[in-house]
Every structure is written in structure tokens, then in C-alpha cells.
């Protein structure tokens, strides 16, 4: 079965009102930790083997998942408190050498069809597929001439271009691009792949939201019913 790696070890400093006590992926969205909701989403598509890469306040995650969940296989692996995203994946190398695996961050929810993502990955035959999303609209746009507003437009997420929404599919050969604990997945490794034409993007037009701020948490709580996770 394809493994799902979830990065869940960061400090979550921008949500310090919660993360003083618990790691960011354990912040509850309408009563359920966002980490569990992410796992529920993968499980809905039949993916039930999870590797959770922990670090900061790892014991909270270990305790929560200490009771078995039916049909799920969950491995909680401590990848270090100060390890960067690429470094966390490198530390999991021995678990990931054999087969294609999936990867996501422990702080975002999405209405993504996982099966379509995997089909797209297989069709394109590249080392890594990421899910490209439209960032949530935050600001309106205005154009000024002196102090007169010549143009006003409520911001649409369509104005924002595309960003990395996580939800990767990765071939094991990619692991050799990860150097050490200080490696950021999103910097040198993915930049190199892009230059080598080994990185493709699956465009997701539906709901996506990461949780960086309290406002993001509130947005997720309003929308999570749509996702049924």
C-alpha cells in the first residue's frame, strides 16, 4: 500500500496561543485535530498507511494515536525538533526506499481527489508531482492617481497565480536530493527538480486552506463540513 508521509514536527510559532501547549497539527478544527482530518481525507480514498514525522511536542501526537485505529497503520517517527522539511523526509529514508509515496504538511486541508492526483503522477512519469492551488484572497486591489482611487477591485483568488499546496506524490529516487537536517524541501531540492524538468504540478481548483493564523483556523472551521473529513 502507498505510504502517506505527514510533516508534523514544526514549531507553529504564528499560532503560539495554541502551540505553547500542543504541536500545530494537533490544533482542533471543530473538535478534531487537523492532523486526524488530513488522515481521514487520505483514508477516504483508500490510503491508510501513515508515517507521521514529529519533532516539537511529539509526545502529544504519540499519546493521541496510542490507541489503534481500525484499518489504519500509523508510524509516529521523531525526526527532531529543529529539523527542516527536507531533513525530516531524509530521516525517514529507510521507510521510503521501495515505492512511490505521498507527502503532505500537517496543517492544511483540501478537497483534492487523491486518486486523480496519483493518476496524473503516473501519466507524467516525473520524480515529483505537487498540487498547485490558488492562494486564498486576502486583499482588495486599488490603483491611485495622487490621492484619487482610479481603480478598485475586490481581490479574487484568481488574481493570485498558483502556489505549492503540498499534497505531493514522490518517487524514492528523489531522496538523494536531500542533504541533511538543514535542507528545506521547498528550496534547493525542488528548485533542482524544476530545472531538470522532473517536477510537475497537478492543478487543484477546489477548496484548499492552510492553517497559519487564527483567521485561517476559523476559515477551516466554517468550511470543513464541505470536505466531510
Amino acid at each position: 500500500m502507498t505510504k502517506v508521509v505527514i510533516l508534523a514536527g514544526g514549531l507553529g510559532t504564528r499560532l503560539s496561543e495554541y502551540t505553547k501547549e500542543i504541536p500545530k497539527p494537533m490544533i482542533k478544527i471543530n473538535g478534531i485535530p487537523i492532523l486526524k482530518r488530513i488522515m481521514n481525507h487520505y483514508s477516504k480514498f483508500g490510503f491508510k498507511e501513515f508515517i507521521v514525522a514529529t519533532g516539537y511536542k511529539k509526545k502529544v501526537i504519540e499519546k493521541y494515536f496510542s490507541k489503534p485505529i481500525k484499518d489504519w497503520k500509523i508510524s509516529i517517527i521523531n525526526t527532531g525538533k529543529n529539523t527542516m522539511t527536507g531533513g525530516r523526509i531524509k530521516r525517514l529514508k529507510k521507510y521510503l526506499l521501495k515505492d512511490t509515496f505521498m507527502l503532505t504538511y500537517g496543517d492544511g486541508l483540501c478537497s483534492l481527489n487523491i486518486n486523480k492526483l496519483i493518476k496524473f503522477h503516473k501519466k507524467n512519469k516525473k520524480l515529483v508531482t505537487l498540487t498547485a492551488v490558488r492562494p486564498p484572497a486576502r486583499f482588495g486591489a486599488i490603483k491611485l492617481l495622487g490621492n484619487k482611487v482610479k481603480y478598485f477591485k475586490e481581490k479574487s483568488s484568481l488574481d493570485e497565480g498558483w502556489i505549492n499546496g503540498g499534497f505531493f506524490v514522490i518517487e524514492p529516487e528523489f531522496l538523494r536530493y536531500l542533504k541533511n537536517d538543514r535542507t528545506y524541501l521547498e528550496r534547493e531540492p525542488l528548485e533542482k527538480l524544476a530545472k531538470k524538468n522532473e517536477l510537475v504540478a497537478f492543478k487543484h481548483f477546489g477548496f484548499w486552506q492552510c492553517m497559519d493564523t487564527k483567521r485561517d483556523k476559523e476559515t477551516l472551521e466554517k468550511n470543513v463540513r464541505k470536505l466531510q473529513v
Side-chain angles (χ1 to χ4, degrees):
M1 186 184 285
T2 304
K3 295 181 176 75
V4 179
V5 176
I6 305 176
L7 299 175
L11 299 174
T13 48
R14 282 186 283 181
L15 278 161
S16 59
E17 61 264 52
Y18 301 101
T19 55
K20 281 176 187 169
E21 305 297 327
I22 59 173
K24 188 179 178 187
M26 294 305 290
I27 295 173
K28 290 180 179 178
I29 303 298
N30 294 346
I32 299 172
I34 191 168
L35 176 57
K36 177 87 182 302
R37 289 191 180 276
I38 293 164
M39 295 160 98
N40 285 343
H41 187 70
Y42 278 100
S43 179
K44 196 165 70 173
F45 291 93
F47 301 99
K48 300 180 180 185
E49 185 171 349
F50 302 98
I51 300 176
V52 183
T54 62
Y56 178 69
K57 294 198 178 291
K58 61 187 174 65
K59 285 188 165 45
V60 179
I61 297 175
E62 289 167 0
K63 186 180 177 184
Y64 184 87
F65 290 103
S66 58
K67 291 178 186 174
I69 297 173
K70 190 184 176 188
D71 297 333
W72 288 13
K73 182 183 176 187
I74 304 171
S75 304
I76 312 287
I77 311 292
N78 178 20
T79 52
K81 188 177 172 183
N82 299 308
T83 310
M84 299 303 131
T85 46
R88 291 191 192 285
I89 302 162
K90 185 174 176 63
R91 286 200 182 203
L92 299 174
K93 187 175 177 180
K94 67 179 180 181
Y95 305 98
L96 305 173
L97 281 172
K98 289 184 180 176
D99 301 301
T100 305
F101 62 95
M102 288 184 282
L103 169 79
T104 196
Y105 305 103
D107 65 352
L109 289 173
C110 189
S111 61
L112 176 69
N113 184 317
I114 304 291
N115 292 335
K116 285 184 179 177
L117 171 66
I118 287 180
K119 191 176 176 184
F120 178 88
H121 177 77
K122 286 178 178 173
K123 181 184 168 189
N124 282 279
K125 295 183 170 65
K126 302 298 183 185
L127 286 188
V128 175
T129 299
L130 61 78
T131 299
V133 298
R134 300 284 197 187
R138 291 199 186 274
F139 306 103
I142 61 173
K143 191 177 277 186
L144 298 177
L145 186 63
N147 60 1
K148 291 190 175 75
V149 177
K150 302 300 287 182
Y151 170 91
F152 178 89
K153 187 167 180 260
E154 184 60 32
K155 198 70 167 175
S156 160
S157 62
L158 297 177
D159 299 332
E160 298 277 0
W162 296 92
I163 61 168
N164 166 28
F167 296 90
F168 299 88
V169 188
I170 300 176
E171 296 302 324
E173 300 94 282
F174 171 67
L175 296 168
R176 60 192 168 90
Y177 288 85
L178 305 172
K179 287 183 181 173
N180 53 43
D181 282 358
R182 308 307 301 162
T183 302
Y184 286 88
L185 167 68
E186 304 79 8
R187 293 183 187 171
E188 196 175 303
L190 291 186
E191 286 168 7
K192 272 189 179 176
L193 283 199
K195 284 177 185 168
K196 291 189 171 190
N197 194 29
E198 283 292 341
L199 177 65
V200 288
F202 178 82
K203 291 179 179 176
H204 173 65
F205 294 89
F207 178 82
W208 174 89
Q209 179 69 56
C210 65
M211 185 178 62
D212 284 331
T213 65
K214 194 166 185 286
R215 180 183 171 184
D216 293 338
K217 179 183 185 293
E218 289 161 1
T219 300
L220 280 166
E221 290 184 326
K222 283 177 195 163
N223 288 279
V224 79
R225 284 186 198 134
K226 297 178 193 172
L227 302 176
Q228 297 179 322
V229 294

